[in-house]
Amino acid sequence: MKSYLNFFKLRIITNLQYRAAALAGISTQLFFGFVYIMVYLALYESNKGVTPPMNLSSIVTYLWLQQAFFALTFPYTKDQELLNMIKNGNLAYELIRPQNFYFKFYIKLIANRMVAAFLRSIPILLIGFLLPEPYKLSMPSNITSLIIFIIALLFACLLVTALSMIMHLLTMYFLDARGVSSAYNVIADLFMGGIVPLPFFPKFLQNIAYKLPFRYISDFPYRVYSGDITIIVGKNMLIGSFIWIIIIIVIGLIISKHALKKAVIQGG
Amino acid sequence: MVKLFIQSIKLSIKSQIEYKGSFILNGISQLFIFFTYYFMIVALFSKFNNIKGFTVYEVLLCFSIIQFGYSITETFFRGIDKFEDLIIDGSLDRFLVRPRGILFQTLCSDVDFIKIFRVIQSVIVLIISLINLDIVWNINKVIVLILCLISSILIFFGLFVLTSSYCFITLQGLEVKNVFTDGGKYMAQYPIGIYRKGIVFIFTFIIPYAFINYYPLLYFLDKTNNTLYMFSPLLVLIFLVPCLWSFKIGLKHYNSAGS
């Protein structure tokens, strides 16, 4: 356990080097945040008679949280080191180390996400809180939903990383995995509410989305924060989220075992 | 020169469809990606019926013009999009000793043929929205539409050239450029008039997105009778001047990365 923890620390320190990239990320995210909000504002203003599926402050909050934690919940961030290792066979070295290969890289991917999100989220959240209405990022609806939000976000990170591990492992089976991973990216982004929040979906797609694990990545945490998902429902969803994490990790472990068994180490 | 360009495009395409399986798979994922762009607008309009007076098909018309220009640029002018790579790996030094323009050679260097799927889809969306809008066709409207499509290609070409002239100094791509290309593309999917004044100003007079789909479409959709709006796409040509000029300046100050 201790070796995993040290490895985690090491990755955090390495990742903190990339501050310039974070700055670029922040400005991009701020820009997109504003533009998204303006589109919704225009829609809400021109349709006064229609009852929207989410109220305006919930949607604005949703959009800011989405931008702030973009790096944490993005479905698939390619880890070149892991992919190279799989392609050039250096994976063999990993097999002789005492740590479990799957968990080692799982931790690495989590650390990458956490640092990227940490550097980007704080300035975006701060700016969001300071903005005037209607662009303002609202405070959480109450302290319980804040707590559920924090746990849900942590679970979201665990879940999305486990999913992304599976995508990395699948490259062992496909010669060119770009198509697979970008198709996954789109599907996950769609069903987690990354493109349009799930309440805006047509009914049948919404039903599908509610049955898939992806909604726990961003739909659930961001909506529970604003109170759009109630605390009672939120508590139950935390359990659902946890179950999905276990399922996805187990699938990942099985794939990694199977893939490594199949691997033939060439001499030289 | 055009012949040479077509020749190099052909070569790139040949090499890219060599791996048929992966080409098809990538193509399918391109279809998916484009679908989500389209889905976003359709989903929002299933709950609302207009955005500042624009209906869903009017927005989709706006959207398809922008997507058309962007995907054409992405497909055929990829070299300029990935310009930093040419500097970093030293390919640009090779270009300098050849008897052709640098920009021209850059354009010839790479084609991302897979993005042709997005071009096709944007044309489909364009046709769908044209069919569903009751348009009284006349020769002026045909001209406007063609001008829109051409200027849409030109603006993204200009932007890519502009951002790549940065690379001469920084020797690497700036992530911030995505705000102007990807971000601008996203913004201009909707009629620019729906945004707040500041944004409208920036994207009219600094980066003239509004001139390629918003103002001409106002004319096209009979929201104004002012024929001046019809020729607003031509203003993009003015925007191209500083873009090409900055590329030239950058090239003059270019020091090889030494690889």
Side-chain angles (χ1 to χ4, degrees), chain A residues 24 31-32 35-36 38-41 45-47 50 135 176 178-179 182 186 190 195-196 200-201 205, chain B residues 22 26 29 32-33 36 39-40 43-44 47-52 175 179 183 186-187 190 194-196 199:
Chain A
F31 177 84
F32 271 102
V35 174
Y36 284 136
M38 274 188 237
V39 170
Y40 282 96
L41 275 179
E45 279 165 14
S46 14
N47 294 276
V50 185
Y135 299 95
D176 182 7
R178 264 197 321 166
S182 65
V186 172
L190 182 71
I195 290 153
V196 189
F200 288 88
F201 273 36
L205 271 181
Chain B
S22 110
N26 279 330
S29 73
F32 271 128
I33 291 171
T36 62
F39 174 77
M40 175 165 191
L44 288 178
K47 306 286 173 193
F48 301 107
N49 50 40
N50 78 90
I51 183 162
K52 299 272 161 161
E175 214 192 310
V179 171
Y186 177 79
M187 268 197 43
Y190 297 91
I194 68 162
Y195 298 105
R196 294 292 191 265
I199 295 270

Side-chain angles (χ1 to χ4, degrees), chain B residues 161-200:
Chain B
V161 171
L162 188 68
T163 48
S164 61
S165 31
Y166 254 99
C167 305
F168 285 119
I169 303 155
T170 57
L171 296 185
Q172 54 176 327
L174 287 179
E175 214 192 310
V176 187
K177 78 174 183 188
N178 291 338
V179 171
F180 298 109
T181 50
D182 281 351
K185 178 192 75 170
Y186 177 79
M187 268 197 43
Q189 285 177 10
Y190 297 91
I192 300 267
I194 68 162
Y195 298 105
R196 294 292 191 265
K197 288 229 168 55
I199 295 270
V200 176

Side-chain angles (χ1 to χ4, degrees), chain A residues 6-18:
Chain A
N6 281 331
F7 185 65
F8 183 70
K9 243 192 269 170
L10 190 73
R11 293 308 316 180
I12 296 271
I13 295 166
T14 320
N15 280 309
L16 278 172
Q17 304 293 326
Y18 297 100

Side-chain angles (χ1 to χ4, degrees), chain B residues 43-212:
Chain B
L44 288 178
F45 273 94
S46 70
K47 306 286 173 193
F48 301 107
N49 50 40
N50 78 90
I51 183 162
K52 299 272 161 161
F54 290 91
T55 63
V56 60
Y57 290 111
E58 289 169 351
V59 173
L60 284 177
L61 186 62
C62 231
F63 162 87
S64 61
I65 287 171
I66 281 291
Q67 291 292 346
F68 175 79
Y70 189 78
S71 45
I72 287 267
T73 316
E74 263 191 321
T75 314
F76 296 106
F77 306 146
R78 182 181 164 82
I80 197 80
D81 189 16
K82 294 264 163 232
F83 194 67
E84 64 263 25
D85 295 351
L86 293 180
I87 291 186
I88 292 166
D89 73 9
S91 305
L92 195 70
D93 299 13
R94 269 190 295 135
F95 288 4
L96 285 167
V97 296
R98 290 187 195 151
R100 293 275 176 188
I102 300 298
L103 198 55
F104 175 69
Q105 291 187 52
T106 310
L107 293 183
C108 290
S109 69
D110 200 4
V111 166
D112 194 7
F113 193 60
I114 199 82
K115 298 276 165 69
I116 200 81
F117 284 93
R118 295 195 192 188
V119 179
I120 297 167
Q121 275 169 300
S122 56
V123 173
I124 293 173
V125 176
L126 178 76
I127 293 169
I128 292 175
S129 46
L130 286 178
I131 290 172
N132 282 287
L133 288 165
D134 289 322
I135 293 160
V136 191
W137 284 96
N138 57 39
I139 186 76
N140 282 357
K141 291 199 174 168
V142 178
I143 294 172
V144 176
L145 199 62
I146 292 170
L147 283 180
C148 284
L149 293 174
I150 294 172
S151 66
S152 174
I153 300 172
L154 289 180
I155 195 173
F156 286 113
F157 172 69
L159 276 170
F160 282 11
V161 171
L162 188 68
T163 48
S164 61
S165 31
Y166 254 99
C167 305
F168 285 119
I169 303 155
T170 57
L171 296 185
Q172 54 176 327
L174 287 179
E175 214 192 310
V176 187
K177 78 174 183 188
N178 291 338
V179 171
F180 298 109
T181 50
D182 281 351
K185 178 192 75 170
Y186 177 79
M187 268 197 43
Q189 285 177 10
Y190 297 91
I192 300 267
I194 68 162
Y195 298 105
R196 294 292 191 265
K197 288 229 168 55
I199 295 270
V200 176
F201 182 83
I202 293 172
F203 288 95
T204 302
F205 294 110
I206 298 176
I207 304 176
Y209 279 114
F211 288 126
I212 63 174

